[in-house]
Amino acid sequence: MAKTKNLRGIPGNLALSYLSTLGYYENGYMADWLIRTFDKLNITQIKIDILNETIFPKEAQIKPLLSDIKKLKLILENELNKNEFEKGFIKNAEFHFEKIGEKTIKCNSFLEDINGKLYYPKKPIIEESYE
């Protein structure tokens, strides 16, 4: 039988996967692209909606930041399947990035299931830009 407690680690794992050094796109890692986008748009927050493959604000919806979202959806689907949940059990999956230093970002990630229950890491993911 499927146990929801098994889903607790998924949001943090998704964020770590997105920000890992395997997530390189052309001239930088995702943390680099996030910092560049924060600076270029003069903003301090970016939200990524994984299931709908969208980024807010809309001006931040650039190819480098979108490049690994399909991979994240597959990881989520595989984790749900492995834990005996239907693909549609999670109705919302988001990253909330915030620029907290010149080259530092914080990511609050969460999943929301069809019953409204939220799953999130014990603490936010903090990442430094490599540039």
Side-chain angles (χ1 to χ4, degrees), residues 90-102:
I90 296 298
K91 69 175 187 178
N92 196 8
E94 293 181 3
F95 296 148
H96 291 236
F97 289 103
E98 181 179 353
K99 184 176 179 186
I100 59 171
E102 188 176 327

Side-chain angles (χ1 to χ4, degrees), residues 47-56 69 92-95:
K47 178 179 101 172
I48 297 179
D49 180 336
I50 297 167
L51 298 181
N52 293 311
E53 300 181 30
T54 56
I55 298 177
F56 303 96
I69 293 182
N92 196 8
E94 293 181 3
F95 296 148

Side-chain angles (χ1 to χ4, degrees), residues 14-32:
L14 288 172
L16 290 170
S17 177
Y18 185 74
L19 294 169
S20 87
T21 54
L22 297 176
Y24 189 85
Y25 186 89
E26 290 182 7
N27 296 320
Y29 299 102
M30 289 305 119
D32 300 328

